[in-house]
Amino acid sequence: MTSYNAIITWGWLVAVVLTANCRPVGVTAVPKDDDRTEFNVGWKFQLGDDSLAMAPGYDDADWRVLDLPHDWSIEGSFSADHPAGNAGGALPGGIGWYRKRFDVPENAEGRMLYIDFDGIYRNSEVWINGHYLGKRPYGYSAFRYDLTPYLFSRGEPNVIAVRVDNSAQPNSRWYSGSGIYRNVHLVARHPVGVAHWGAFVTTPRITDEHALVIQHTELENLTGEPQQLTVVLSVFDNQGQAVGSVERDFQLADSMGVLDLLLEVPNPKRWSVDSPVLYHAVTTVKQGNKVLDRHVERFGIREFRFDVQGGFSLNGVPTRLHGVCMHHDLGALGAAVNRRAMERQLEILRTMGANAIRISHNPPAKEFLELCDEKGFLVVNEAFDMWRKRKTKFDYHIDFDAWHERDLRDLVRRDRNHPSVILWSIGNEIREQFDSTGITITRDLVNIVKSEDTTRPVTAALTETEYGKNFIAQAEVLDVLGFNYKYADYPRLPTSFPGRPLYASETTSALQTRGHYEPEHDTLRFWPASGAQKYVENGNPDYTVSAYDHVAAYWGTRHETAWSAVKSADYLAGLFVWTGFDYLGEPVPYPFPARSSYYGIVDLAGFPKDVYYMYQSEWTDEPVLHIFPHWNWNAGDTVAVWAYYNNADEVELLLNGKSLGSRRKEDGALHVAWDVPFEPGQVKAISRKSGQVVLERTVNTAGPPASIRLTADRNTVRADGQDLSFVTVEVIDKEGNLVPDAALLIHFSVDGPGEVAAVDNGYQASLEPFQDTKRKTFNGKCLVIIRPGTKSGVATVRAHAEGLADATVGVKMIVKR
Ligand code: GAL
């Protein structure tokens, strides 16, 4: 049994030593971390290289003005000629420059000033007032530079210049985006205080009465003089109430000192999937009565364990990981970080019943983890898709030797206070799995992780299921083993890898286009695709794949097969389906113009495919009944009608009021189906439990398009220039039925304080730009994303299509102070 309820042994030793020195003090309000200011607004940008652009006096008057986060690739046009290929989304890379003039902020006077970049894709180089600060190759790492020595005094403008080089392509197997696509902050700090990512909060002992909270605190002293300090640690609960505080005197003689502070939180509320309660740990570094530094960390009180035979448990409750893998792009918004867009993804996945995310295959945006903390998702935080052996010609294998230690260490230090993170993954389908260098590199990477965090297990997503051929497993240092695909091998995993907790790190890779349906015999031609064959032969001319659960990549399986295999294998802690959402790039099984993936349970625009309801019926207790396909067919067609359901014994299907019989899920199937000779009208499904009706669902034959229906996911948003309203656009007939094949061009406009941020329709081979105010509906639907301005008011979103009356929806924008 492997237990990860943290560092109990040393935790209690420290407790014994420190309790004597810690004095509890009374605290009343939650202080704020006031030294960080967003630094996103008013940058200048130029696509293309210019070796002089780092010079402070460089003339950038003609450059475009924009706000970060920014992804220039998503603004480009799709083309088969971009070197990223369609695997990279068929969008441009290249070299770009960003510059910004700024005055030293008021709060920086007499303090250190740092700049924090949350992520730049990729090969960023940064200059301040012409001084070179450094380079960061990995596009997913967060990093900080010290600006202090090069700053002019207040009143004299400083210039920061950033060169981003994403020209050597392909460097990724999926869409990466290009530019400063994550947030940037300025941080003003006293030279004495908590070091960058230097506060690590753990909760090694939790009972119903008390939780022991230990903060391992690295204190930095850049003054060159010894400092006599008082350090206060206060913990606040989710209501903002102080629930404990300790203070300690500390002599910081050198440039760095380490202090473990501990206290007990009474009656702790545990962080869990259903109740993700968060606490704050506030560190105040004082000299006498003067506050030098205040540092805030958010954390959760929870314990979990992976058992060799028993799977996973959270706070002692056996919990299966019902997970999905996710890439980082946000569909039509590209890679540019947007909190609301990520939140929407998580909301859609939660409604489906998912409780876990594998962030594949790179460090995430920190906002994504914050959202996972807030919404109760369990996270596998993954560092790399390759080590020294490449997967694409210009990928991170080039930087691995020089940078892996820094990148991995930084990832762990940045993310180790997130209660959502339960596993560190050192890599996905790493090629060194197959040779003995895998042993040494695995040991090196695991050591790096463990030197920063021993409270979480380390894993990797493996493919080789024979121990003798798997050199990563042979390193014997991974705590938990993940296996991708190979579901037929699951039964032998416990004997091949004895003593190791196991989970299915990646499954399925089924292929589907939302709203497109073909009889099973027509989809069989997809199955034979093999390693020798890059693209499917004789695919559909419109690059669609049927949305019945029939088709998968040759290394994957249908959704039902994969989930059934994991469901019955109780020695697996759970699974991560490839993927939750469609993503840009990797459009297996088609060549260009296909440019986004077919793997998602949800399409790129955020519209669920039918199989979403299979998971919902399996992973939630909410009553589910979902029937498909649409009911617009030709006379003479025989149509397979499927139903996903739960909480019922059987489902009856009726065609135009005539019963076609009841069906129950049998032989392990997770759906029921009828072959129905088409006649126009209505199909109706009724689920029943013990003879009582649970749910009814109908699908009607739709008439011609009569109007447009607009549905905003939120009719009120914050007027902060960043919040978003996602408006679903449906072409409906005069009875309100979705017209399932409608492909109408819809024009959008916004009256009032907002604008169209992007459009999409989830069609994997659409070459229409995302950054536009018009979109064709695909299988009846499209999406318009509305971004508020910074003024309160009501924006009226208008949709216009030729021959139909305009439709409108109001979105209220509210300035929150
Ligand atoms: C896996 C890989 C993923 C993705 C997937 C597509 O083998 O780990 O990154 O490429 O295949 O099926």
Side-chain angles (χ1 to χ4, degrees), residues 173-174 325 327 358 360-361 382 385 391 428-429 461 463 484-485 506-511 553 555-556 578-579 583 586 588 599:
R173 298 187 300 110
W174 57 88
C325 301
H327 274 315
R358 172 170 171 240
S360 36
H361 309 293
E382 191 154 84
D385 191 44
K391 290 189 177 169
N428 172 60
E429 299 190 353
T463 49
N484 290 6
Y485 307 96
E506 201 173 307
T507 68
T508 315
S509 277
L511 306 167
W555 54 92
W578 191 266
T579 45
Y583 51 94
E586 212 180 24
V588 172
Y599 297 118

Side-chain angles (χ1 to χ4, degrees), residues 85-87 89-90 543 587-598 764-767:
N86 71 337
Y543 307 96
V588 172
Y590 286 120
F592 186 84
R595 47 60 174 165
S596 55
S597 84
Y598 292 72
Q764 290 115 338
S766 169
L767 298 183

Side-chain angles (χ1 to χ4, degrees), residues 394-423:
F394 298 104
D395 66 28
Y396 184 77
H397 80 279
I398 295 169
D399 309 303
F400 184 83
D401 279 347
W403 283 96
H404 73 267
E405 173 165 3
R406 179 76 195 275
D407 286 323
L408 184 58
R409 192 176 293 288
D410 284 359
L411 169 68
V412 176
R413 287 175 64 84
R414 186 193 66 162
D415 292 346
R416 58 192 171 167
N417 289 322
H418 291 281
S420 55
V421 177
I422 54 162
L423 283 168

